[in-house]
Amino acid sequence: MVRKQWKDLNVRTRRLIVGAGAIDGIAKIAALLDLLQRPPEQIRGSKRIWATSIVLVNSIGALPVAYFLLGRRAPDDNA
């Protein structure tokens, strides 16, 4: 199997790759900022594990989305 290099890809494919990378980066930054500002009692699990996973796992946006959907608790209405 011959591996293509960046210069061998057509312009459309390059744009898709760059766009997907930008979206993933923005999602990771948003998740990390939210994680930083949110108190620990509003997080399901360890903040350290969530942060490490968001940064290190090549998720194509899946891990930041999982954090927003599953990792956060609703703020307590009585607080």
Side-chain angles (χ1 to χ4, degrees):
M1 181 175 158
V2 177
R3 295 183 84 177
K4 286 188 176 186
Q5 294 184 353
W6 183 257
K7 66 180 180 177
D8 298 329
L9 300 175
N10 64 42
V11 174
R12 181 174 182 258
T13 303
R14 289 182 192 179
R15 287 181 181 159
L16 286 172
I17 292 170
V18 170
I23 290 169
D24 185 52
I26 290 167
K28 285 182 178 187
I29 290 169
L32 289 170
L33 290 175
D34 184 82
L35 186 63
L36 253 171
Q37 296 172 353
R38 198 168 286 275
E41 58 272 3
Q42 290 183 8
I43 304 294
R44 290 189 178 106
S46 165
K47 287 178 85 168
R48 180 176 286 155
I49 291 173
W50 274 112
T52 302
S53 300
I54 290 168
V55 170
L56 295 180
V57 174
N58 187 4
S59 62
I60 310 174
L63 202 54
V65 170
Y67 164 73
F68 282 117
L69 294 177
L70 305 172
R72 304 185 313 166
R73 296 180 192 272
D76 189 15
D77 292 335
N78 298 328

